[in-house]
């Protein structure tokens, strides 16, 4: 992931932005779907070089999140139940099936990028980066497929969740949207904000930081666990 600066990956969210904003303006009430599709296309490009796999990334990310949720299987609350034999553990059958389907997807993406690299048509992506260094790292096909596949799954719902928190915040505190808009207009004029504008946009930065603090996406401290219980 540290190669992202060199490979200009920071540009990828901007490529997908026009479609995202157009969809949001056409059908604002479908924001959840539109935001997950947007971050899905960004992550699909980042992981595999093309936006096409966003629906599958969403599907497998939802599957993974559901599986690790305390509400999913009773073993997530009473781990000792994992010692029960398979025939009385329906959660084991479900998980085996989910794992098998996810594995097929990851391996297919590995093979697809490898084929595009052979044909010299592979765009920059985490998968291409991992495959280019396979001899050096000694990774197996499966290891390479999982390293990148899991990055894809980790990146899609986390980021769309942050976008949804932004909508919630602006709905509750519209005065902050007005302050943000003034900052964007002052610094960027008619164009969209870019990463290089960040040092000159303290309000935007503060809002982003506050969104992540106010509604933590992952429980990473005692206070966020307290929030999740509310
Ligand atoms: C607002 C967005 C995000 C939040 C809040 C978030 C949060 C987290 C947290 C709390 C962890 C666990 C860290 C630990 O306990 O060691 C984690 C791990 C991880 N995240 Fe994110 N993440 C976000 C976005 C992303 C994105 C966009 C990607 C990929 C492009 C990503 C990829 C990963 C990976 C691969 C791991 C596992 C790292 C490891 O264990 O080696 N995350 N993330």
């Amino acid at each position: 992931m540290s190669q992202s600066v060199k490979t200009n990956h920071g540009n990828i969210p901007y490529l997908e932005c026009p479609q995202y904003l157009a969809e949001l303006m056409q059908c604002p009430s479908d924001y959840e779907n539109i935001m997950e599709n947007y971050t899905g296309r960004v992550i699909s490009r980042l992981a595999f070089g093309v936006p096409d796999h966003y629906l599958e990334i969403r599907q497998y990310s939802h599957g993974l999140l559901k599986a690790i949720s305390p509400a999913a299987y009773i073993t997530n609350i009473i781990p000792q139940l994992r010692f029960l034999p398979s025939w009385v553990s329906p959660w084991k059958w479900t998980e085996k099936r989910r794992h098998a389907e996810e594995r097929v997807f990851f391996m297919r993406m590995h093979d697809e990028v490898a084929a595009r690299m052979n044909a010299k048509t592979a765009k920059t992506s985490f998968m291409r980066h991992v495959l280019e260094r396979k001899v050096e790292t000694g990774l197996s096909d499966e290891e390479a497929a999982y390293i990148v596949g899991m990055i894809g799954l980790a990146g899609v719902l986390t980021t769309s969740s942050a976008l949804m928190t932004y909508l919630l915040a602006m709905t509750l505190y519209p005065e902050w949207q007005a302050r943000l808009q003034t900052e964007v207009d002052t610094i960027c004029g008619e164009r969209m904000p870019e990463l290089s504008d960040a040092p000159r946009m303290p309000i935007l930065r503060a809002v982003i930081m506050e969104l992540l603090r106010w509604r933590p996406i992952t429980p990473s401290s005692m206070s966020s666990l307290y929030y999740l219980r509310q």
Side-chain angles (χ1 to χ4, degrees):
M1 291 167 91
S2 60
Q3 297 299 309
S4 293
V5 176
K6 264 191 257 164
T7 49
N8 204 19
H9 281 156
N11 196 36
I12 289 178
Y14 297 100
L15 292 177
E16 291 296 339
C17 224
Q19 182 179 344
Y20 165 58
L21 294 178
E23 286 176 359
L24 211 51
M25 282 191 283
Q26 275 162 16
C27 194
S29 59
D30 197 24
Y31 67 90
E32 191 170 346
N33 212 13
I34 293 170
M35 288 176 164
E36 287 188 10
N37 282 347
Y38 167 64
T39 56
R41 291 195 304 272
V42 171
I43 291 296
S44 180
R45 281 182 188 268
L46 196 55
F48 311 121
V50 290
D52 317 22
H53 305 288
Y54 65 99
L55 285 179
E56 286 162 298
I57 293 177
R58 273 184 68 184
Q59 176 193 335
Y60 292 114
S61 188
H62 275 289
L64 177 68
L65 272 194
K66 194 173 159 222
I68 62 177
S69 142
Y73 309 122
I74 191 152
T75 34
N76 291 0
I77 299 169
I78 312 171
Q80 291 82 353
L81 290 177
R82 71 183 183 279
F83 297 115
L84 287 173
S86 285
W87 61 274
V88 279
S89 311
W91 50 86
K92 287 187 183 172
W93 316 334
T94 318
E95 261 312 282
K96 274 194 179 136
R97 194 171 56 240
R98 187 189 69 77
H99 177 261
E101 288 168 1
E102 183 187 78
R103 185 180 180 282
V104 169
F105 171 59
F106 287 171
M107 294 309 290
R108 177 157 55 79
M109 294 321 304
H110 168 280
D111 295 348
E112 243 185 71
V113 177
R116 281 201 295 270
M117 284 170 69
N118 280 338
K120 308 252 180 288
T121 57
K123 292 201 176 131
T124 173
S125 67
F126 287 150
M127 186 65 92
R128 193 180 101 178
H129 182 70
V130 167
L131 294 184
E132 278 169 351
R133 279 150 196 82
K134 234 169 135 205
V135 175
E136 194 183 310
T137 57
L139 291 173
S140 69
D141 287 358
E142 192 164 15
E143 284 166 332
Y146 264 84
I147 287 172
V148 181
M150 279 298 171
I151 289 178
L153 299 201
V156 60
L157 299 181
T158 40
T159 44
S160 64
S161 176
L163 293 176
M164 287 176 221
T165 307
Y166 173 79
L167 280 194
L168 178 66
M170 294 305 118
T171 308
L172 291 173
Y173 307 102
E175 66 278 14
W176 278 93
Q177 187 169 8
R179 289 184 69 173
L180 267 178
Q181 189 67 58
T182 307
E183 186 176 77
V184 172
D185 292 345
T186 311
I187 303 297
C188 312
E190 289 296 309
R191 63 172 175 80
M192 298 278 282
E194 290 166 8
L195 270 183
S196 56
D197 297 317
R200 290 177 298 144
M201 302 187 77
I203 299 180
L204 178 58
R205 184 180 168 79
V207 167
I208 293 170
M209 301 297 273
E210 177 58 7
L211 293 175
L212 297 174
R213 187 206 65 82
W214 181 52
R215 289 288 186 271
I217 288 154
T218 53
S220 50
S221 69
M222 290 313 283
S223 58
S224 57
L225 286 175
Y226 174 78
Y227 156 71
L228 287 173
R229 289 182 56 213
Q230 301 300 299

